Amino acid sequence: FIYLYNFIRMRYVIFIFIFCQWLHGQITISLKDKTTNLPIAYANIWKEKQLYRSSDSTGVFKVEQSDLGMEFKITCVGYNDTVLKMSEVLTLEPSAIALNEVKITKRKFEKIVKLGKAKRGDSVYAVQYDAKNGMSAKFFENTNNSAFINNVKFCTFASTKNRIVNLLFYTVGENGQPKEILNTENIIVKIKKGNHIAEVDVSNLAIEFPKEGVFVAIQHLLLEQNKEYAKPFRPNAFFYEPTIAVDLTKGYKDTWYFKEESWYKNNGFSVNMQLIGSD
C-alpha cells in the first residue's frame, strides 16, 4: 500500500511539473508566405505597439504559451502589415508593388559623392532587452543631386561572430521624419567580431536617392544570436548587439528613433555613418 501510494504521488508530481512547463513554456511559430508557402525571414512581431520578436532566417520565432490566441501585428519588407491571432503557423500576403513608368538609364559611376563619416565617435548604443528603441535612422541631404545610393558604412562592435542587423532606406515625410521604405527586401548585414566598419554595397539594388534626401536606418533584430548576457553579475539580463558608434549631441542633429510605431527626433546622439552616392 505504501509503495502504491508513493508511486501515485510521484506520478502526480511529474504531471504537475509537466503541466507547469507546458503552461509557462515557449511555443515555436512558423511564418510563411501565403502565396509560395516559403518561410519569411527577419519579420517583426509587435506586441502592444512594442517590438516583441523577430523571425530568424528560417521564418521561425518563439512566443510564450500564454500568447497563443492573442492578436499581434506582423511587419516585414515586401509584405502587407497584418494583425493576426497567434498560432503555430502564420501567413502573410505579399504587398503589391506599384510600378511607375520604366526609364532605362545607364549608370555612369563617374560622379561619386561621400556624405558623413563612419568613425568610432563619442559613445555607442545597443538595444536593451525590452527593445523599446529597436531602430535608429540618420538623415542625409542630397546636396549634389546624386541619382543612386551605392554604399553605406557604419562603425560596430560585437563580442562574438554571427551578429546581424537589417538596413532600411526611407523617404522623408512631411514633418521631416522617415516615411516610406525604399528597398523592396531586407538588407541583412553580417557584423564581424570586434571593432569594425561595416561596409554595405547596395549599388546592385539601384536604390534611388530622393531629391528631398534619404534616411538610412539600422534595425536590431531580436534574435537569440544577437543576445549578449550580463553574466555572471546578472545572468538573466541581456541586450542586443552589435553596438553602433555615435556622437553625443545637445539637441537634435540628424538622427531619429522608432518607438511604439512612431518616429521621434533623437536629442541625445547622432549615428556615425557614411553614405556614398553616384550618378
Side-chain angles (χ1 to χ4, degrees):
F1 176 82
I2 294 176
Y3 172 80
L4 179 61
Y5 171 78
N6 288 334
F7 176 75
I8 294 174
R9 186 174 64 176
M10 180 61 68
R11 293 188 63 183
Y12 178 77
V13 170
I14 293 173
F15 171 78
I16 292 297
F17 175 78
I18 294 175
F19 177 78
C20 290
Q21 289 292 99
W22 175 84
L23 186 64
H24 299 289
Q26 291 190 322
I27 303 298
T28 299
I29 309 296
S30 295
L31 185 61
K32 297 184 178 182
D33 186 300
K34 191 172 184 179
T35 303
T36 65
N37 204 40
L38 294 174
I40 300 176
Y42 309 122
N44 303 311
I45 294 84
W46 301 85
K47 183 177 183 179
E48 298 175 353
K49 296 186 178 182
Q50 183 172 316
L51 189 56
Y52 182 55
R53 295 284 190 274
S54 297
S55 63
D56 64 15
S57 60
T58 64
V60 168
F61 61 96
K62 292 184 178 181
V63 298
E64 302 301 322
Q65 179 72 37
S66 57
D67 290 330
L68 290 180
M70 295 180 61
E71 289 189 340
F72 288 78
K73 181 178 179 180
I74 303 178
T75 64
C76 186
V77 177
Y79 292 87
N80 296 321
D81 294 356
T82 309
V83 176
L84 296 171
K85 286 187 177 182
M86 191 59 63
S87 60
E88 293 185 6
V89 179
L90 301 174
T91 58
L92 293 183
E93 188 81 36
S95 58
I97 301 175
L99 298 177
N100 298 322
E101 180 183 355
V102 177
K103 295 180 181 180
I104 301 176
T105 59
K106 184 178 180 181
R107 297 190 61 179
K108 300 177 181 179
F109 295 98
E110 294 176 352
K111 185 180 178 182
I112 303 297
V113 177
K114 295 182 179 181
L115 305 172
K117 292 183 179 181
K119 58 179 183 176
R120 292 196 179 182
D122 303 324
S123 186
V124 297
Y125 87 92
V127 172
Q128 300 301 316
Y129 68 94
D130 55 5
K132 290 183 178 179
N133 175 15
M135 182 162 51
S136 291
K138 183 181 180 76
F139 172 72
F140 290 93
E141 186 178 357
N142 194 350
T143 55
N144 292 277
N145 295 319
S146 298
F148 296 96
I149 299 170
N150 287 356
N151 191 289
V152 174
K153 298 179 181 180
F154 51 96
C155 191
T156 67
F157 172 80
S159 60
T160 185
K161 60 181 181 179
N162 296 326
R163 310 298 200 200
I164 60 174
V165 295
N166 189 20
L167 205 64
L168 300 168
F169 296 87
Y170 284 85
T171 61
V172 182
E174 298 79 5
N175 298 318
Q177 82 284 8
K179 187 178 180 181
E180 296 179 353
I181 298 176
L182 289 169
N183 41 310
T184 57
E185 59 186 43
N186 289 320
I187 302 173
I188 302 302
V189 184
K190 296 181 180 179
I191 306 299
K192 296 178 180 179
K193 179 181 178 179
N195 285 299
H196 290 279
I197 292 179
E199 184 171 354
V200 189
D201 185 351
V202 295
S203 58
N204 63 318
L205 300 179
I207 299 175
E208 294 186 8
F209 198 150
K211 294 180 179 180
E212 300 78 15
V214 70
F215 280 98
V216 183
I218 300 173
Q219 180 193 9
H220 281 74
L221 298 168
L222 308 191
L223 300 170
E224 190 66 34
Q225 73 185 80
N226 284 339
K227 286 183 179 180
E228 175 62 16
Y229 288 87
K231 56 186 180 182
F233 307 104
R234 297 177 61 193
N236 295 323
F238 64 88
F239 61 92
Y240 293 94
E241 283 191 335
T243 62
I244 309 297
V246 299
D247 276 339
L248 301 179
T249 62
K250 295 181 179 180
Y252 169 75
K253 182 179 179 182
D254 54 23
T255 299
W256 294 62
Y257 65 93
F258 194 71
K259 179 181 179 181
E260 295 182 349
E261 300 183 333
S262 296
W263 287 99
Y264 299 91
K265 290 181 178 180
N266 192 319
N267 294 313
F269 66 75
S270 168
V271 175
N272 291 338
M273 181 184 291
Q274 183 179 71
L275 182 147
I276 300 175
S278 73
D279 52 0

